[in-house]
């Protein structure tokens, strides 16, 4: 594995004493690699991301993050209807002094980040007027405007249609492969993880984790243990390329009737 | 690491061209909106000169300008025989302190309201609505009761405002949901408590001397403006207001909410407390010199947002300029509308309540972020 960019050593978090969200999570993410974090609702994926970002302290263990991180939240609440450029400019916060205002260079960096996503034409538009996919891209651009070494994304495709999902996944892949960014993202879609992640961290239980190469971790047994649903790993050819994906069997097995 | 060339300035000219060719709705920013602040500054200057002209003893506009120039630059202009002593006294002694006081109070309240609304992501927040003014007034009349000197009154009003704001914030924090309504309700509760305290203090005050002084002070007026009062109000408004202006881009970040701001590397709580302290200082100083002048800090930021857009880099100076102009015009009306001078607090409340009702209706119908 490359030099680590993020190291988790026995990390655990409890919002109230004794009520652990998870504990004893140990994993590391190599520089320039893509890590997918998977787990059912309430297992602590977002909490784990916030511990990595440093916006919360772990109740136990230690988090080492070796580089500056940019963050794309799952939900972005905007108090005021800022123009798109102002939204992206906020990504420069770490590089602007407490009493200083953004400089022309900061604005150029924000514009360039927008330009990467082909959104520069929308720079003066109010953020609320954009579609869900465009907003997600703007938040992506905001994270990139900070010139991060590590990009952390919380369910980046959760509110997007299929095409926009593909677009976001493609961007994650490009940012990792072309720019060398380390990417950590949470997802409820194992096939997204299989498509673009180098590694996968499965949050199986309160203190039960599986971490390793995505192709090995995302097997049918692990995923059944993770979701309680069977998933089938499928391979097929598309455009001369072998595609490997995962398909869930969305059937809830009937519970055994209790006697009497 | 992102390739540094991607964020370089060399890409800027083409991007700027793309921006200028964007046909969509845009906020009035950069070149397109550069006229806004100079226009508001010009409007304030006109309102100031007009205010110096009008009154029971009118003074010609050209004389007012020459008197001001002579006061500011005595050497090149020297004494001008075209004005009478009475005209000089009307402008210099009576109206100038009053105009400066109204401008400083309006600028401070507009700035404070815009900063609070931005920081709390809350359109219905104003220094008076959430109890700061009531707390400051309570501290002030306590100082009157105890015969404290003017600076003691300022300190007591400041402490009262700060206590009220902390109480409102703490009460709102006890609610599970968070958001706009708990903070408003907490402010109403805190304001009601301090209003009750006003009553208690007034009840115990000497009805011959101190009670009239308290009532007159609370009702809000610039009638007793003096250069001493200007000297009390100017340092908090210019100093604390100047710091708020320097923090104006940070208020954009705080308006994202605590978690999002933290993800951008902003440790928000210290900054929030600093802004609260600055706002409390401004409002307490304003209440000290002119009593409770309600609604200005609530409605002026909305006007400013409509004109200058939501970016606090432009919104804060716009709110200061609009607040100063608004209160100046209100004071002109207060002293010229009727034979007897009207309390300015009554006038601003008369304008503020219907505007607040309209804002509340818009909030229900459209959502305030689309203002």
């Amino acid at each position: 594995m490359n030099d680590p960019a993020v190291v988790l050593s026995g990390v655990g978090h409890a919002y109230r004493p004794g009520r652990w969200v998870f504990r004893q999570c140990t994993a590391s993410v190599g520089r320039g690699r893509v890590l997918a974090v998977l787990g059912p609702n309430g297992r602590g994926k977002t909490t784990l991301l916030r511990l990595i970002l440093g916006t919360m302290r772990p109740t136990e263990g230690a988090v080492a993050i070796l580089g500056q991180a940019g963050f794309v939240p799952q939900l972005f609440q905007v108090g005021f209807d800022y123009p798109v450029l102002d939204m992206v400019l906020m990504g420069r916060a770490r590089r602007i002094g407490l009493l200083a205002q953004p400089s022309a260079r900061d604005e150029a960096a924000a514009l360039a980040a927008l330009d990467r996503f082909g959104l520069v034409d929308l720079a003066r538009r109010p953020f609320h007027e954009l579609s869900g996919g465009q907003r997600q891209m703007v938040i992506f651009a905001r994270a990139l405007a900070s010139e991060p070494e590590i990009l952390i994304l919380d369910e980046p495709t959760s509110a997007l249609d299929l095409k926009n999902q593909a677009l976001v996944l493609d961007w994650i892949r490009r940012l990792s492969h072309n720019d060398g960014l380390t990417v950590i993202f949470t997802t409820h879609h194992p096939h997204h993880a299989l498509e673009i992640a180098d590694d996968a961290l499965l949050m199986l239980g309160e203190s039960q984790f599986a971490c390793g190469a995505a192709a090995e971790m995302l097997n049918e047994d692990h995923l059944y243990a993770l979701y309680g649903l069977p998933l089938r790993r499928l391979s097929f050819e598309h455009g001369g390329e072998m595609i490997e994906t995962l398909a869930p069997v969305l059937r809830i097995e009937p519970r055994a009737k209790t006697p009497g | 690491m992102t390739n540094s060339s991607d964020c370089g300035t060399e890409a800027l000219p083409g991007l700027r061209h793309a921006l200028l060719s964007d046909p969509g709705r845009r906020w009035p920013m950069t070149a397109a909106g550069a006229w806004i602040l100079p226009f508001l500054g010009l409007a304030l200057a006109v309102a100031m000169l007009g205010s110096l002209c009008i009154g029971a003893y009118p003074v010609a506009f050209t004389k007012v300008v020459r008197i001001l120039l002579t006061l500011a630059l005595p050497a090149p202009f020297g004494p001008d025989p075209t004005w009478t002593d009475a005209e000089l006294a009307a402008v210099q002694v009576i109206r100038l302190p009053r105009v400066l006081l109204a401008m400083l109070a309006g600028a401070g309240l507009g700035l404070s309201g815009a900063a609070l609304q931005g920081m709390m992501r809350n359109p219905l927040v104003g220094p008076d609505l959430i109890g700061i003014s009531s707390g400051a007034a309570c501290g002030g009349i306590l100082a009157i009761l105890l015969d404290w000197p003017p600076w003691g009154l300022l300190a007591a009003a400041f402490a009262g405002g700060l206590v009220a704001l902390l109480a409102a914030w703490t009460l709102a924090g006890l609610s599970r949901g968070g958001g706009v309504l708990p903070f408003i309700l907490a402010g109403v509760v805190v304001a009601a408590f301090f209003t009750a305290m006003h009553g208690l203090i007034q009840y115990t005050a000497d009805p011959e001397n101190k009670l009239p002084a308290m009532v007159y002070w609370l009702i809000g007026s610039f009638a007793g403006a003096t250069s001493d009062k200007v000297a009390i109000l100017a340092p908090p408004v210019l100093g604390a207001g100047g710091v708020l202006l320097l923090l104006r881009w940070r208020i954009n970040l705080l308006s994202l909410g605590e978690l999002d701001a933290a993800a951008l590397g902003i440790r928000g709580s210290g900054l929030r407390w600093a802004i609260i302290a600055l706002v409390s200082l401004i409002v307490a100083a304003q209440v000290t010199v002119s009593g409770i002048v309600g609604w200005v800090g609530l409605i002026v930021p909305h006007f400013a947002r409509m004109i200058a857009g939501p970016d606090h880099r432009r919104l804060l100076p716009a709110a200061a300029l609009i607040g100063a102009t608004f209160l100046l015009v209100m004071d002109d009306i207060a002293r010229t509308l009727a034979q007897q001078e009207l309390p300015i607090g009554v006038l601003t409340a008369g304008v503020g309540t219907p505007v607040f009702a309209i804002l509340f209706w818009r909030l229900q119908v459209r959502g305030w972020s689309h203002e």
Side-chain angles (χ1 to χ4, degrees):
Chain A
M1 182 180 275
N2 309 5
D3 293 339
V6 176
V7 180
L8 309 172
S9 309
V11 172
H13 192 75
Y15 286 100
R16 280 184 286 174
R19 302 285 295 271
W20 292 95
V21 182
F22 62 83
R23 55 189 313 186
Q24 294 298 318
C25 178
T26 296
S28 70
V29 191
R31 197 166 292 282
R33 292 180 75 82
V34 178
L35 172 77
V37 180
L38 295 98
N41 287 331
R43 191 53 56 77
K45 298 184 297 295
T46 301
T47 302
L48 180 66
L49 294 191
R50 298 212 173 275
L51 296 176
I52 293 170
L53 274 168
T55 57
M56 294 194 310
R57 291 181 180 211
T59 312
E60 66 174 19
V63 177
I65 180 159
L66 309 167
Q68 186 163 296
F71 181 54
V72 178
Q74 181 185 359
L75 297 171
F76 29 88
Q77 298 174 323
V78 184
F80 298 87
D81 201 3
Y82 292 117
V84 165
L85 181 60
D86 280 2
M87 289 292 296
V88 178
L89 202 53
M90 292 182 201
R92 303 286 295 172
R94 284 194 186 89
R95 298 177 181 275
I96 297 170
L98 178 67
L99 299 178
Q101 308 303 314
S103 64
R105 178 180 159 72
D106 293 313
E107 192 168 317
L111 282 169
L114 270 178
D115 194 36
R116 290 194 68 173
F117 295 97
L119 295 172
V120 76
D121 285 350
L122 304 177
R124 299 295 184 206
R125 296 278 179 88
F127 183 73
H128 282 111
E129 287 187 359
L130 305 186
S131 69
Q134 287 172 327
R135 289 185 196 188
Q136 186 73 325
M137 288 295 144
V138 168
I139 300 299
F140 247 81
R142 188 181 78 179
L144 285 190
S146 66
E147 299 175 41
E149 294 163 277
I150 301 160
L151 191 59
I152 296 174
L153 307 103
D154 192 5
E155 297 187 29
T157 59
S158 62
L160 302 180
D161 62 31
L162 283 175
K163 188 173 180 186
N164 278 312
Q165 287 181 25
L167 197 64
V168 166
L169 295 178
D170 188 50
W171 267 108
I172 292 174
R173 190 179 3 230
R174 283 157 68 174
L175 291 169
S176 170
H177 291 181
N178 301 348
D179 295 48
L181 258 70
T182 306
V183 180
I184 300 172
F185 73 103
T186 60
T187 182
H188 282 302
H189 302 296
H191 59 292
H192 289 182
L194 189 64
E195 177 73 22
I196 61 164
D198 301 307
D199 303 306
L201 170 64
L202 310 185
M203 303 180 81
L204 298 163
E206 182 185 293
S207 54
Q208 196 184 353
F209 303 91
C211 189
E216 293 172 20
M217 289 294 109
L218 297 169
N219 61 50
E220 294 178 0
D221 291 341
H222 271 152
L223 293 170
Y224 187 81
L226 198 64
Y227 297 114
L229 277 179
L231 283 98
R232 295 286 171 257
R233 201 157 154 168
L234 309 170
S235 299
F236 55 90
E237 190 186 326
H238 174 78
E241 185 186 357
M242 280 307 291
I243 303 289
E244 201 161 13
T245 189
L246 286 154
V249 181
L250 297 173
R251 295 282 185 280
I252 302 295
E253 292 175 8
R255 290 180 185 174
K257 286 185 179 175
T258 48
Chain B
M1 181 89 167
T2 308
N3 189 337
S4 60
S5 67
D6 289 330
C7 293
T9 52
E10 66 273 15
L12 196 56
L15 299 180
R16 281 201 184 283
H17 175 73
L19 289 179
L20 293 173
S21 63
D22 172 21
R25 184 163 81 92
R26 292 182 284 176
W27 287 116
M29 294 175 60
T30 54
W35 56 270
I36 289 172
L37 293 180
F39 173 77
L40 292 174
L42 186 66
L44 177 60
V46 170
M48 181 189 172
L49 291 172
S51 301
L52 290 170
C53 296
I54 62 172
Y57 189 86
V59 181
F61 183 83
T62 50
K63 286 185 181 177
V64 165
V65 172
R66 290 192 69 84
I67 288 171
L68 287 182
L69 287 172
T70 307
L71 290 173
L73 306 162
F77 290 95
D80 190 319
T82 61
W83 62 70
T84 64
D85 288 347
E87 287 171 332
L88 179 64
V91 172
Q92 184 182 359
V93 181
I94 298 170
R95 289 183 198 155
L96 190 57
R98 183 167 183 152
V99 161
L100 290 176
L101 208 62
M103 284 168 58
L104 285 167
L109 289 173
L111 200 54
S112 299
L116 279 181
Q117 289 180 4
M119 181 188 85
M120 296 181 184
R121 319 167 68 194
N122 189 328
L124 303 180
V125 167
D128 44 333
L129 199 68
I130 56 171
I132 300 180
S133 298
S134 297
C138 198
I141 62 169
L142 189 65
I144 293 174
L145 182 75
L146 300 174
D147 274 331
W148 288 3
W151 291 105
L153 195 147
L154 175 64
F158 173 65
L162 198 58
V163 167
L165 190 54
L166 293 181
W169 201 332
T170 307
L171 271 179
L174 295 177
S175 79
R176 281 173 176 266
V180 173
L181 197 56
F183 196 80
I184 299 294
L185 292 176
V188 169
V189 169
V190 169
F193 172 79
F194 279 108
T195 304
M197 290 297 104
H198 295 171
L200 187 64
I201 294 169
Q202 286 172 319
Y203 183 72
T204 60
D206 162 25
E208 296 295 323
N209 298 315
K210 288 182 180 170
L211 185 58
M214 286 177 186
V215 171
Y216 187 71
W217 181 73
L218 278 176
I219 205 165
S221 173
F222 295 108
T226 61
S227 53
D228 286 347
K229 287 188 175 178
V230 174
I232 287 177
L233 185 57
V237 171
L238 299 179
V243 177
L244 281 178
L245 285 173
L246 288 173
L247 289 169
R248 61 194 188 276
W249 187 66
R250 293 272 147 181
I251 295 173
N252 279 0
L253 301 172
L254 293 180
S255 73
L256 293 177
E258 196 134 359
L259 289 177
D260 213 2
L264 292 173
I266 305 302
R267 298 283 180 254
S269 59
L271 192 55
R272 281 189 169 85
W273 287 118
I275 290 170
I276 284 172
L278 294 167
V279 165
S280 298
L281 183 61
I282 291 170
V283 174
Q286 177 272 313
V287 172
T288 303
V289 297
S290 53
I292 295 180
V293 182
W295 301 95
V296 179
L298 175 66
I299 59 174
V300 162
H302 286 273
F303 288 132
R305 207 172 286 117
M306 281 185 241
I307 293 170
D311 183 352
H312 291 84
R313 285 178 291 169
R314 183 162 283 153
L315 173 62
L316 255 64
L321 292 169
I322 292 172
T325 309
F326 174 72
L327 213 46
L328 202 51
V329 172
M330 286 289 109
D331 188 48
D332 290 343
I333 294 171
R335 65 190 170 91
T336 57
L337 189 66
Q339 288 271 318
Q340 190 177 3
E341 179 160 332
L342 300 171
I344 191 155
V346 174
L347 273 181
T348 55
V351 173
T353 40
V355 171
F356 184 80
I358 292 167
L359 291 174
F360 192 73
W361 175 76
R362 284 175 57 128
L363 179 69
Q364 299 299 313
V365 174
R366 300 177 56 193
W368 72 291
S369 61
H370 296 271
E371 189 172 284

